[in-house]
Amino acid sequence: QVQLVQSGGGAVHTGGSLKLSCVASGRDFGRYAVGWFRQGSGNQRKFVGGISYRKQLTYDEDSVKDRFTISRDNAKNTVYLEMNSLEPSDTDVYYCAAADVGVAPVAPDEAYEYPYWGQGTQVTVSS
């Protein structure tokens, strides 16, 4: 079992930055892939990016466009989503999620592949 607790988020103006944290409890977190998703009201959760247990990164390029960076510190059981040059269209609730996908080289990009989820954190960007 893995429990994920998120922190960070908040409200910024266009061009601002935020850094989200996702702290995991449980053993062997280093072997888990972690994904970040976003969800607006009434919408499905959309993949933002992910990091594999080997720290291989994948991003949804259309929405991220070199503005977001994912990293992990396995010694702290923590994964980060650093968001720069934020735009109003980035406004959403952001979730981290974890999955043990064995030796898969990249983190999954579908929400159904993740059994463990953080509580979500609101990101609001105003113009």
Side-chain angles (χ1 to χ4, degrees):
Q1 284 284 345
V2 173
Q3 291 184 326
L4 304 176
V5 178
Q6 297 179 225
S7 61
V12 297
H13 292 292
T14 298
S17 298
L18 288 170
K19 188 173 185 177
L20 309 185
S21 298
C22 176
V23 180
S25 62
R27 299 173 63 182
D28 300 325
F29 176 67
R31 76 171 195 234
Y32 284 76
V34 175
W36 286 94
F37 291 78
R38 58 183 291 181
Q39 184 176 29
S41 178
N43 297 328
Q44 294 183 332
R45 292 182 182 180
K46 182 179 183 294
F47 182 72
V48 173
I51 185 166
S52 72
Y53 79 105
R54 289 185 176 179
K55 301 185 179 180
Q56 180 67 39
L57 297 168
T58 53
Y59 296 98
D60 176 65
E61 294 298 335
D62 287 346
S63 64
V64 172
K65 297 178 182 177
D66 298 322
R67 299 181 297 122
F68 292 4
T69 301
I70 297 170
S71 60
R72 70 187 299 162
D73 183 343
N74 289 336
K76 295 182 178 180
N77 276 12
T78 303
V79 174
Y80 304 97
L81 173 63
E82 186 171 0
M83 303 183 290
N84 299 309
S85 301
L86 284 162
E87 305 165 352
S89 58
D90 294 316
T91 296
D92 254 336
V93 178
Y94 285 74
Y95 295 87
C96 64
D100 183 355
V101 292
V103 296
V106 297
D109 60 3
E110 296 288 347
Y112 72 86
E113 298 185 80
Y114 290 88
Y116 308 110
W117 289 84
Q119 80 277 19
T121 186
Q122 178 70 47
V123 171
T124 302
V125 186
S126 58
S127 58

